[in-house]
Each structure stands twice: as C-alpha cells, then as structure tokens.
C-alpha cells in the first residue's frame, strides 16, 4: 500500500499559467478524493510580489466556488523570491521553516520547477546552497517541467547540473503523456492479456503508427514555439515515450527502474538517422492560411511572435526502425502537427494479413488493427473480419471496442493529478529518467541538425485544417495513414474510434 507522507510542495513560477490551469486543479481533485496527506501545504514562489490571499485568489480561478474550495485554499501560501544569488533563497528557507513549525509538517519538501527553463539549473543550485536539496531525515524531491534541454548537449548539461545538487532518485522529469491513463493502460493491455503479447512482434505486426494531432495552433506561444517546433515540442518527449511503452520488453517488475530500463533499451535500439536518409524518412510541414468553417485562419508565419520567414516545423511525420529482436524490419510511423482537422492521439498496431487468401483475392481479407485511443474518447478498438451475412463468403471489417466513458462511476484522473500523487508517494515510474531523455535527444538530434544546416531539405506548406503535407503519405510506401476523423458533419468532424 503506497502512503503519502506529510509534506510541503513548493511551486517555483507559481504566478504563471501552469499553476492555475493544471497544478492547482489537480491538487484540488486530490484534495476532494482525500488523497492529499493530512498535513500538507503548497508554497507558491516567484518574483511577483503577492500576499498569501492574493495568491489564493489568483490560482483558484479555474476551481468552482464552493465550501471545498474555501477549505482547500487555506493550504495555499506564497513567498516572493528573487533568483540573482543563493542568498535570495534565504527568505524562502525561513518561510519553509516557519510553515513546518506552524502547521506541524515535517521537513519533507517537493520543489516543482514551473519556471522558464533558463532557471532549471539555477534554482537547484540555490536550494542546495541553502541546505534544502538533501536531508538525512526528510525527503527532498525535485520536479522538472519540460522542455528538458533544447538539444542533446543542453539536456546533458542540465542532467549534470541537477546531479550536482540532487540524486537521480530525487529528480522527477515530467512528461505529462506518461500521466495519461490510456498510456499506462498500454502496459496492462500488453502484459495482462494472454492474447496480445504473443503477437506483439515482427512475426505478426506489419507496422506501427502513432498519430498525435492537434486542431489548435500555437495559441499565443509563438515566441516559444518558433524556437522549438514539433520535433522538440512533441516528438523528442511525448511521442518517444509512447514508442517506449509500445515497444518495450516486459519489465521484471512493475517498478520505476525496471520499467525505465526497458524504455531506455528501446531508445538504445533505435536505428540512427544518417544525414542522407533524412529527407526520405522525415517530412516536415508548416501550416499556411486557410478558411475553416467559414472563418479565415492565419498561417503560422503570421502568428504573433513568429518570424515571418520562419522555417520552424508545425508538422512532422517520420518513419524509423527499432533494430532489436522483437521489432526487426517493422516500420514505425509517427505523425504530429498543429492546426490539423481535429485533436486525436492514438496508436495503431497493424497486424499482417493471413498467409493465404482463402476467401478470394486480397481485397477480401483484412488487416487486423488494434487501435489504442489515448485521447479523446479514450479506449481500445480491435478491427477484425467477419462474414457478410448472405450467400458466398464475403468478408467485412467489424469493430470490438471499449470506451473508458462506459465505465460506471469511474473518473479518469488528469495527467497532472496522477503524476503529482506519484511524486508525493516517491514513485518515479511515470517520470522520464535522465539517460532515457538523453537517448531520445540523441535520436532526433541528427534530424534537427540537418534541418538547421541544409536549406535544401524542404519544409512543405499545408493549409490549416488539413492533415499536413501530402508528402507524408509517401512515407508509408503504398499503405495509408489512418484518418480517424474524416466525415464532416454540421458540427465539424466525426471521429470514430
Ligand atoms: C505540450 C506542448 O507539451 O503538449 C504543446 O508544449 C502541446 O504544444 C501539448 O499542445 C499537447 O498535450 P495534450 O495533452 O493536449 O495532447
């Protein structure tokens, strides 16, 4: 049974958006379910000068107005803190000591870095200088938000810095995709059912396809995104973690390091990209202006904060291979982009067809697909062939499906809710380990380098609201991407699971 010890959660960058949009709502949900420890406080910290009350008013913006919130907000406190030198953290240290005394909380602290990444090295150092990073008696943990580095070199550098002040088992690198219930369910689907795992290899699987589509654009984050692009923003972290879960070997036990060892092994087996392969295996795109539902939509280069000549990709599709025993020769396809027709994230396992087409030609036999829908309408669907009723032996594809929404009285916890609780309980299974983050960077870095240094590698435009450049289809070598949402209705797109 996992327990949550009494502690204080310090959020750096507490006046920012993430705190009120994600962290406080997640903490409130934990509070309502009585999953927070009996003695618990949040200490918000940032440069903005606020009182406790002003901080409370600000961060409960996305909570309902009710008695629960009135009680919950009493656990929120605030300390202004600057970060020019280590001494600037003294008021924070004193405030922590005062709160531990006043509330009877032991000196267990979680430090959450929700600041601009430029402070990811500085804050741990100042915590260390003030004797807050390690303790013989109490736990000290550090949660680091993404992005973890902007390239391989900076990720390595950040790991080295953090490890000067915290041990690896104190560091929790967030990847909110790992907090998604459906991503975790991938392990259960694979390793608790006798029917899937025997088929989960190159003998039976033809290809694996992962799509993470967003209908939103850069939403006011143009300044950040233009220096990032889809490869850094989505592929290096979220989608590579999904690949890890789809492709890993069974872990020895369900425990942080056992699972993370297997993910790292998958990343170590990724076939590296050579420069001359890149334009054939990787397609990048950028959305252009268009009209969606009778409204004019600006192109990426017209977005605020974006360079009008930008060559930053808002779409990426790639084909790659995992050179190990299980996956020899199986192509993996990944596709992600902004301003696509809808928001959907799913993994599609395409099984090979039967060896002999008993019921006529190949068009009368089907390729089974297992579709793991991460979001929205979370669930799993198996497509298989069935006899069309009537004379003859015509085969048609039918679905067997499960939707989380069908489970009575079950609410799927938000990713941040799950991840925060895990950290409070000292479980790092769903956080990325330093070596895996570096391996994932190592995989994407040659692509980023080639794009940055070789202007001949094209970046294709695609009208906002479409499925990205058509060139992405050519990656599939005769097969097609699954287009889950193509039936236009009056309300927009209908997405079948
Ligand atoms: C974030 C990216 O990490 O993930 C965003 O920075 C992206 O650009 C978001 O929109 C997608 O997350 P989700 O949970 O909405 O799929």
């Amino acid at each position: 049974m996992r327990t949550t010890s009494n502690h204080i959660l310090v959020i750096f960058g507490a006046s920012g958006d993430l705190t009120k949009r994600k962290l406080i709502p997640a903490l409130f949900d934990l509070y309502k379910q009585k999953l927070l420890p009996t003695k618990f406080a949040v200490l918000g910290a940032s440069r903005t000068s606020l009182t406790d009350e002003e901080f409370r008013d600000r961060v409960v913006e996305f909570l309902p107005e009710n008695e629960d919130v009135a009680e919950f907000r009493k656990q929120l406190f605030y300390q202004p803190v600057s970060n020019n030198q280590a001494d600037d953290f003294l008021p924070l240290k004193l405030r922590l000591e005062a709160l531990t005394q006043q509330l009877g909380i032991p000196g267990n602290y979680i430090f959450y870095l929700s600041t601009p990444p430029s402070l990811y090295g500085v804050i741990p150092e100042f915590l260390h200088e003030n004797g807050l990073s390690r303790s013989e008696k109490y736990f000290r943990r550090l949660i680091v938000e993404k992005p973890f580095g902007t390239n391989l070199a900076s990720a390595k550098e950040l790991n080295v810095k953090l490890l000067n002040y915290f041990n690896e088992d104190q560091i929790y690198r967030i990847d909110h995709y790992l907090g998604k219930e459906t991503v975790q369910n991938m392990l259960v689907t694979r390793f608790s059912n006798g029917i899937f795992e025997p088929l989960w290899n190159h003998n039976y699987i033809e290809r694996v396809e992962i799509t993470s589509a967003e209908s939103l654009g850069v939403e006011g984050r143009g300044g950040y995104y233009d220096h990032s692009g889809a490869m850094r923003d989505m592929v290096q972290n979220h989608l590579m973690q999904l690949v890890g879960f789809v492709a890993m070997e069974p872990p020895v036990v369900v425990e942080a390091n056992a699972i993370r060892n297997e993910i790292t092994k998958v990343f170590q087996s990724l076939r590296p990209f050579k420069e001359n392969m890149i334009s054939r295996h990787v397609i990048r795109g950028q959305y252009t202006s268009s009209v969606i539902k009778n409204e004019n939509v600006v192109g990426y280069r017209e977005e605020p904060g974006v360079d009008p000549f930008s060559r930053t990709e808002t779409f990426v599709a790639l084909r790659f291979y995992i050179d190990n025993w299980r996956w020899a020769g199986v192509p993996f396809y990944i596709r992600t982009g902004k301003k696509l027709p809808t928001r959907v994230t799913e993994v599609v396992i395409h099984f090979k067809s039967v060896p002999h087409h008993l019921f006529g030609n190949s068009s009368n036999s089907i390729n089974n697909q297992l579709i793991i829908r991460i979001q929205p309408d979370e669930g799993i669907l198996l497509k298989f062939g069935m006899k069309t009723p009537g004379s003859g032996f015509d085969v048609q594809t039918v679905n067997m499906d499960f939707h989380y929404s069908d489970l009575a009285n079950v609410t799927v916890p938000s990713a941040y809710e799950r991840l925060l609780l895990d950290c409070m309980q000292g479980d790092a299974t769903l956080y990325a380990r330093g070596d895996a983050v570096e391996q994932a960077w190592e995989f994407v870095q040659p692509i980023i380098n080639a794009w940055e240094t070789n202007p001949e590698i094209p970046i294709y435009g695609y009208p906002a609201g479409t499925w990205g450049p058509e060139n992405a289809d050519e990656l599939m070598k005769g097969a097609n991407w699954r287009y889950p949402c193509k039936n236009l209705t009056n309300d927009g797109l209908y997405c079948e699971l």
Side-chain angles (χ1 to χ4, degrees), residues 21-22 46 57 69 95 121 156 177 221 233 307 339 348 371 388 440 457 469 483:
R21 284 187 190 280
K22 299 282 185 197
S46 72
D57 289 344
V69 174
R95 187 75 198 276
K156 281 188 170 168
Y177 265 55
R221 294 159 74 224
D233 190 50
D307 176 353
K339 285 271 190 235
V348 187
I371 298 154
T388 305
I457 301 180
Y483 289 103

Side-chain angles (χ1 to χ4, degrees), residues 306-318:
V306 171
D307 176 353
F309 300 99
S310 171
R311 285 173 65 82
T312 298
E313 76 289 355
T314 60
F315 174 95
V316 187
L318 61 153

Side-chain angles (χ1 to χ4, degrees), residues 142-161:
L142 181 75
I143 304 183
V144 189
E145 256 300 329
K146 70 166 279 233
F148 197 89
T150 52
N151 53 27
L152 175 60
S154 58
K156 281 188 170 168
E157 202 180 307
L158 182 55
N159 271 331
V160 169
K161 268 194 195 149

Side-chain angles (χ1 to χ4, degrees), residues 22 145-146 175-177 180 212-214 216-218 221 224-225 228 233-234 237-238 338 343 345 375 415-416:
K22 299 282 185 197
E145 256 300 329
K146 70 166 279 233
D175 187 312
H176 79 277
Y177 265 55
K180 291 182 194 280
S212 183
E214 292 185 86
L216 293 179
V218 288
R221 294 159 74 224
Y224 149 76
Y225 195 86
S228 168
D233 190 50
M234 291 293 292
N237 37 64
H238 307 324
K338 296 215 180 268
R343 176 175 185 253
T345 301
Q375 62 192 19
Y416 276 97

Side-chain angles (χ1 to χ4, degrees), residues 158-173:
L158 182 55
N159 271 331
V160 169
K161 268 194 195 149
L162 297 181
L163 289 166
N164 280 335
Y165 314 119
F166 288 82
N167 305 333
E168 179 62 40
D169 63 3
Q170 295 177 279
I171 303 172
Y172 291 69
R173 296 172 194 78

Side-chain angles (χ1 to χ4, degrees), residues 56-327:
R56 291 169 182 162
D57 289 344
R58 192 186 263 230
V59 294
V60 299
E61 185 183 330
F62 293 100
L63 303 186
E65 273 180 40
N66 62 28
E67 282 170 19
D68 281 345
V69 174
E71 252 334 282
F72 169 73
R73 56 182 274 150
K74 292 183 188 157
Q75 295 176 298
L76 310 179
F77 301 87
Y78 185 79
Q79 176 63 46
V81 61
S82 46
N83 44 47
N84 300 318
Q85 53 200 26
D87 281 355
D88 291 343
F89 274 32
L90 199 57
L92 179 85
K93 180 182 177 162
L94 295 176
R95 187 75 198 276
L96 275 171
E97 284 167 4
L99 283 175
T100 55
Q101 288 258 314
Q102 181 189 329
L103 305 172
I105 302 178
N108 295 322
Y109 304 142
I110 297 178
F111 301 105
Y112 195 119
L113 303 189
S114 164
T115 60
S118 54
L119 296 176
Y120 289 178
V122 174
I123 293 172
E125 180 186 341
F126 292 174
L127 288 171
H128 178 76
E129 295 291 313
N130 284 278
L132 290 166
S133 66
R134 293 189 177 110
S135 156
E136 297 270 299
K137 210 161 150 205
Y138 302 115
F139 73 66
R140 300 287 156 86
R141 296 176 190 146
L142 181 75
I143 304 183
V144 189
E145 256 300 329
K146 70 166 279 233
F148 197 89
T150 52
N151 53 27
L152 175 60
S154 58
K156 281 188 170 168
E157 202 180 307
L158 182 55
N159 271 331
V160 169
K161 268 194 195 149
L162 297 181
L163 289 166
N164 280 335
Y165 314 119
F166 288 82
N167 305 333
E168 179 62 40
D169 63 3
Q170 295 177 279
I171 303 172
Y172 291 69
R173 296 172 194 78
I174 278 230
D175 187 312
H176 79 277
Y177 265 55
L178 294 182
K180 291 182 194 280
E181 191 62 37
T182 33
V183 174
Q184 296 151 36
N185 188 42
M186 207 127 67
L187 295 186
V188 176
T189 304
R190 287 189 54 193
F191 302 129
S192 77
N193 292 296
I195 56 171
F196 296 123
E197 200 46 29
L199 307 182
W200 210 267
N201 57 55
H202 66 100
N203 289 318
Y204 299 98
I205 294 180
E206 186 188 273
R207 65 183 193 277
V208 175
E209 177 184 338
I210 301 179
T211 291
S212 183
E214 292 185 86
S215 48
L216 293 179
V218 288
E219 308 305 303
R221 294 159 74 224
Y224 149 76
Y225 195 86
D226 210 30
H227 292 104
S228 168
M231 187 62 94
R232 290 183 168 98
D233 190 50
M234 291 293 292
V235 178
Q236 184 277 335
N237 37 64
H238 307 324
L239 298 189
M240 291 315 294
Q241 291 293 336
L242 285 185
V243 170
F245 272 55
V246 173
M248 72 191 222
E249 296 302 314
V252 180
V253 283
V254 180
E255 182 264 294
N257 272 327
I259 291 183
R260 299 188 312 172
N261 285 344
E262 298 307 331
I263 290 182
T264 308
K265 281 200 245 165
V266 171
F267 293 171
Q268 284 166 342
S269 319
L270 290 164
R271 186 181 301 172
F273 282 104
K274 299 209 179 71
E275 190 167 351
N276 63 0
M277 294 160 60
I278 288 171
S279 46
R280 278 177 297 122
H281 290 249
V282 189
I283 299 296
R284 58 174 169 167
Q286 193 185 69
Y287 64 83
T288 55
S289 60
S290 111
V291 177
I292 303 179
K293 290 197 216 153
N294 294 327
E295 278 193 25
N296 291 328
V297 177
V298 297
Y300 175 68
R301 291 180 182 179
E302 285 93 61
E303 297 275 13
V306 171
D307 176 353
F309 300 99
S310 171
R311 285 173 65 82
T312 298
E313 76 289 355
T314 60
F315 174 95
V316 187
L318 61 153
R319 177 179 66 230
F320 61 92
Y321 293 87
I322 300 175
D323 286 334
N324 67 13
W325 199 271
R326 183 186 287 263
W327 295 112

